[in-house]
Amino acid sequence: MKVLVPIKRVVDYNVKIRVKADQTGVDLANVKMSMNPFDEIGVEEAIRLKEKGVVTEIIAVSVGPQATQETIRTALAMGADRGILVKVDHEIEALTVAKILAGIAKAEQPQLIILGKQAIDDDSNQTGQMLAQLLGWGQGTFASKVVVEGGKAEVTREVDGGLQTLRLNLPAIITTDLRLNEPRYASLPNIMKAKKKPIDEKSPADYGVDPAPLLKVLKVTEPPKRKGGSKVKTVQELVDKLKNEAGVI
Amino acid sequence: MAVLLIAEHDNTSLKDSTVKSMTAAKALGSPVDILVAGHNAKAVADAATKIAGAGKVLLADDAQYAQQLAENMAALVVELAGKYDAVLSPASTSGKNFMPRVAAALNVPQISEIISVDGPDTFTRPIYAGNALQQVQAGAGKKVITVRSTAFKAAELNGSAAVETIGAAKGPGVSEFVKDELSKSERPELASARVVVSGGRGMQSGENFHLLEKIADRLKAAVGASRAAVDAGFVPNDYQVGQTGKVVAPELYIAVGISGAIQHLAGMKDSKVIVAINKDEEAPIFQVADYGLVADLFKAVPELDDELKKQGY
Ligand SMILES: Cc1cc2nc3c(=O)[nH]c(=O)nc-3n(C[C@H](O)[C@H](O)[C@H](O)COP(=O)(O)OP(=O)(O)OC[C@H]3O[C@@H](n4cnc5c(N)ncnc54)[C@H](O)[C@@H]3O)c2cc1C
Ligand SMILES: Nc1ncnc2c1ncn2[C@@H]1O[C@H](COP(=O)(O)O)[C@@H](O)[C@H]1O
């Protein structure tokens, strides 16, 4: 079966971002960009399913500017077979991405689409669920374990109270959580091989989708800074302050 | 503006997050009806009638809502949404699971994890692990919103709404529940506890979390953790506090053996008072701590236990 793995190019999780002085957004000039960490987990899971013989082809898909090619190459170097880049030059919202991905799913007919649970830039946590609705498929979000067997996917999910296991008809949507796997690093020979793997270039119009923004961003500001940094010398002083100064115990 | 608020519950008790989300819902308009979708969940609906500001409480009591599977929940909410201008849910793992499906079905964007209602169509939400705040204005369609409940005060509980029983909607039948493995604890819930004691990689093992549990028991606190502690298997996944775990804002947050990565801070930096115990005085957690103690936790935590005991906690 085919698997689609949507991946997003985001500011690397180690970067401390800065809000632009004119409040129009976050400063992305010369900032290190990487694959969204949850999407690396998605690529890894697809590769493991291929190694188990469940999956035959892995297609890495990204919606973003030309530079997103690099992110798709990273997925190809990890082990994806081919890529699709849907070119959009501005920031794009979850619903629009989901509509584009639904168009790709109709063209490619995958049995499984594995997304990240959350993009660490917009922290939306929506795209996979929206895509599932648009396609009329079942969803296993926040997955920490996936078993594909007998035309079904059994997905264990990380939920507020602990874990929950579901059984989904295929085709289905899965979104990854942190404990699903530990993504591999691409080896040098695989990085070289990835250069020859194909990446198709498409536009939202190819899928009949208008990429215009749906929400208007009025401003982006810095959160209020916390005044921390005070120290206590002893446990006794700590307890005294919590009781008599802060009054929280 | 008619608003529908979807209750968060476990079929027995109504979660505090619903009561807090009511404050966001009321800021949008009225009436605010509350949907309780569950199985044998009459007690939850009764509890919801007490939330001040509730118009009526809609109870959809059916086996298919026992675990609130996303597909079934979305089908029900979409069916009800016709009568409402805005649909809200707490941004719990359950709300995050079905609400985007509702938004997609209604062909509108979802506004995730709002922390304030700035106008009838204008909201603020954190992005980049809370390192930036984005103010967005929604378009003309229905509003689908998840609420970061820790950012809102709880509504009063002196209401007296009526319960109206409604039928189930037809779900697509593409998923089925297999099992739950829920963590059992006598302690308060992490998301709503007044005091939280969290441990990180510095704890070294799951056993050592007993040191924190003793403190938690004295202070009637919940126990939380960093991602590193969860990944290492010291504690279950539902202990994780942070950007991609739970967001907490207790009166007192005690971080023990946690360095203070931005992803962790994202989940606790709105706590009223933060205490950090860490042996590395350069640890970034100290920059947000009101009371930092540079010490080996294996010495400091037992001492803290003794001191609290001495003071009668
Ligand atoms: C996509 C993504 C999502 C993430 N989401 C989250 C999230 O939701 N929540 C989260 O917490 N993290 C999250 N992280 C991980 C985060 O980046 C950090 O790796 C993590 O928070 C570190 O955990 P820690 O502070 O326990 O460990 P470390 O950074 O290793 O810190 C351990 C600390 O313990 C101290 N210590 C060690 N021994 C002792 C001792 N004996 N006495 C006192 N102090 C001691 C050390 O000085 C150190 O400061 C995420 C990362 C990514 C990439
Ligand atoms: N522009 C994009 N291109 C490809 N995949 C995306 C894009 N945006 C979001 N996704 C996928 O959707 C997941 C959740 O993103 P979000 O809903 O924005 O938090 C990500 O982890 C990706 O798998």
Side-chain angles (χ1 to χ4, degrees):
Chain A
M1 68 167 85
K2 264 196 220 177
V3 178
L4 214 62
V5 191
I7 57 177
K8 186 174 187 189
R9 178 178 170 87
V10 298
V11 172
D12 187 85
Y13 79 96
N14 275 313
V15 171
K16 185 147 185 10
I17 56 107
R18 282 210 334 265
V19 172
K20 285 196 222 162
D22 66 2
Q23 302 196 334
T24 55
V26 165
D27 195 352
L28 298 181
N30 305 314
V31 167
K32 183 177 178 211
M33 305 292 283
S34 303
M35 191 190 306
N36 183 40
F38 288 100
D39 305 350
E40 288 181 346
I41 297 173
V43 175
E44 176 67 33
E45 195 63 16
I47 298 169
R48 291 189 190 186
L49 287 169
K50 194 175 172 194
E51 287 168 348
K52 280 194 196 123
V54 177
V55 160
T56 49
E57 189 184 27
I58 303 167
I59 310 165
V61 184
S62 194
V63 183
Q66 191 62 40
T68 308
Q69 280 259 2
E70 288 168 32
T71 315
I72 297 178
R73 286 280 168 224
T74 304
L76 298 177
M78 285 174 74
D81 297 294
R82 62 185 168 96
I84 301 174
L85 167 62
V86 182
K87 271 182 68 179
V88 177
D89 280 324
H90 53 81
E91 277 181 47
I92 183 162
E93 287 154 70
L95 180 60
T96 312
V97 174
K99 286 179 179 173
I100 293 171
L101 295 174
I104 296 175
K106 278 175 192 142
E108 297 283 352
Q109 301 283 314
Q111 287 294 294
L112 214 50
I113 305 180
I114 310 178
L115 303 92
K117 82 162 175 184
Q118 172 175 342
I120 61 163
D121 51 1
D122 60 28
D123 284 333
S124 289
N125 196 331
Q126 307 177 0
T127 310
Q129 298 88 313
M130 287 180 154
L131 178 59
Q133 177 70 29
L134 295 177
L135 294 169
W137 296 4
Q139 67 186 48
T141 53
F142 325 146
S144 64
K145 188 170 175 223
V146 173
V147 180
V148 180
E149 227 169 40
K152 305 246 179 189
E154 199 166 284
V155 181
T156 303
R157 313 176 50 232
E158 294 198 355
V159 295
D160 284 341
L163 296 171
Q164 176 185 70
T165 304
L166 303 176
R167 195 174 297 118
L168 309 172
N169 294 355
L170 296 182
I173 299 288
I174 289 169
T175 76
T176 62
D177 214 320
L178 296 168
R179 260 70 60 180
L180 182 57
N181 61 49
E182 238 179 87
R184 70 193 65 191
Y185 291 99
S187 66
L188 198 57
N190 285 345
I191 293 173
M192 300 312 289
K193 264 199 260 171
K195 295 197 167 137
K196 296 201 196 75
K197 293 182 180 174
I199 300 180
D200 257 4
E201 280 199 17
K202 298 280 187 186
S203 74
D206 291 334
Y207 304 101
V209 177
D210 174 2
L214 305 162
L215 293 172
K216 188 162 158 196
V217 176
L218 300 180
K219 63 179 182 197
V220 175
T221 53
E222 252 182 72
K225 279 235 161 27
R226 235 195 125 88
K227 242 188 27 255
S230 301
K231 297 256 169 59
V232 290
K233 291 218 159 51
T234 63
V235 164
Q236 288 69 29
E237 187 188 347
L238 174 63
V239 172
D240 175 62
K241 292 232 156 122
L242 289 177
K243 201 169 158 179
N244 301 316
E245 188 176 88
V248 286
I249 62 169
Chain B
M1 183 178 328
V3 182
L4 180 65
L5 170 64
I6 296 149
E8 165 87 8
H9 65 90
D10 57 6
N11 294 315
T12 344
S13 60
L14 181 71
K15 303 272 166 173
D16 201 37
S17 56
T18 314
V19 186
K20 289 178 174 161
S21 298
M22 178 53 126
T23 302
K26 277 197 286 199
L28 268 171
S30 67
V32 180
D33 292 346
I34 301 177
L35 170 66
V36 175
H39 188 43
N40 298 327
K42 177 75 171 51
V44 177
D46 288 339
T49 60
K50 305 276 185 327
I51 305 179
K56 58 187 169 192
V57 175
L58 307 174
L59 173 62
D61 208 313
D62 192 282
Q64 67 159 304
Y65 302 125
Q67 285 82 27
Q68 305 207 348
L69 297 193
E71 298 81 0
N72 299 342
M73 285 297 290
L76 176 66
V77 175
V78 169
E79 202 176 273
L80 295 172
K83 285 197 226 132
Y84 297 93
D85 305 295
V87 183
L88 283 82
S89 153
S92 57
T93 50
S94 174
K96 286 174 179 172
N97 198 32
F98 67 81
M99 287 292 272
R101 288 190 80 112
V102 172
L106 299 173
N107 194 26
V108 293
Q110 172 183 288
I111 306 172
S112 295
E113 293 218 29
I114 62 162
I115 56 168
S116 67
V117 177
D118 309 329
D121 58 359
T122 309
F123 310 91
T124 298
R125 55 178 303 267
I127 54 174
Y128 287 93
N131 289 303
L133 302 178
Q134 183 187 53
Q135 191 185 47
V136 294
Q137 187 171 33
K142 290 187 197 295
K143 291 168 192 64
V144 175
I145 295 167
T146 62
V147 180
R148 177 171 290 187
S149 50
T150 52
F152 293 87
K153 280 211 177 67
E156 303 278 323
L157 289 176
N158 53 9
S160 57
V163 177
E164 181 182 316
T165 305
I166 59 168
K170 196 172 158 6
V174 286
S175 61
E176 68 188 293
F177 171 75
V178 177
K179 64 175 177 195
D180 271 337
E181 294 152 87
L182 301 181
S183 309
K184 288 210 172 58
S185 168
E186 300 297 309
R187 294 193 187 86
E189 263 189 48
L190 188 49
S192 53
R194 211 187 61 81
V195 179
V196 173
V197 184
S198 282
R201 200 194 311 267
M203 295 306 295
Q204 289 179 14
S205 74
E207 249 122 72
N208 291 336
F209 264 76
H210 291 309
L211 297 171
L212 302 186
E213 285 163 7
K214 281 171 125 181
I215 307 289
D217 289 341
R218 293 202 188 281
L219 299 177
K220 299 187 178 50
V223 178
S226 69
R227 173 193 175 178
V230 176
D231 281 5
F234 300 169
V235 288
N237 62 281
D238 50 298
Y239 281 44
Q240 185 180 314
V241 170
Q243 178 188 16
T244 63
K246 286 189 178 134
V247 176
V248 300
E251 294 277 296
L252 173 61
Y253 187 89
I254 306 179
V256 182
I258 292 178
S259 62
I262 52 170
Q263 292 85 3
H264 188 76
L265 300 184
M268 45 64 80
K269 71 178 162 56
D270 292 328
S271 303
K272 186 166 162 232
V273 172
I274 296 175
V275 169
I277 302 177
N278 195 305
K279 68 178 180 188
D280 172 11
E281 63 176 321
E282 303 288 315
I285 190 79
F286 286 125
Q287 290 165 21
V288 299
D290 302 285
Y291 303 108
L293 178 65
V294 180
D296 188 311
L297 73 90
F298 294 105
K299 187 167 163 286
V301 177
E303 258 180 51
L304 177 59
D305 185 50
D306 281 347
E307 184 64 23
L308 288 170
K309 184 175 169 195
K310 224 190 309 174
Q311 304 236 6
Y313 288 94

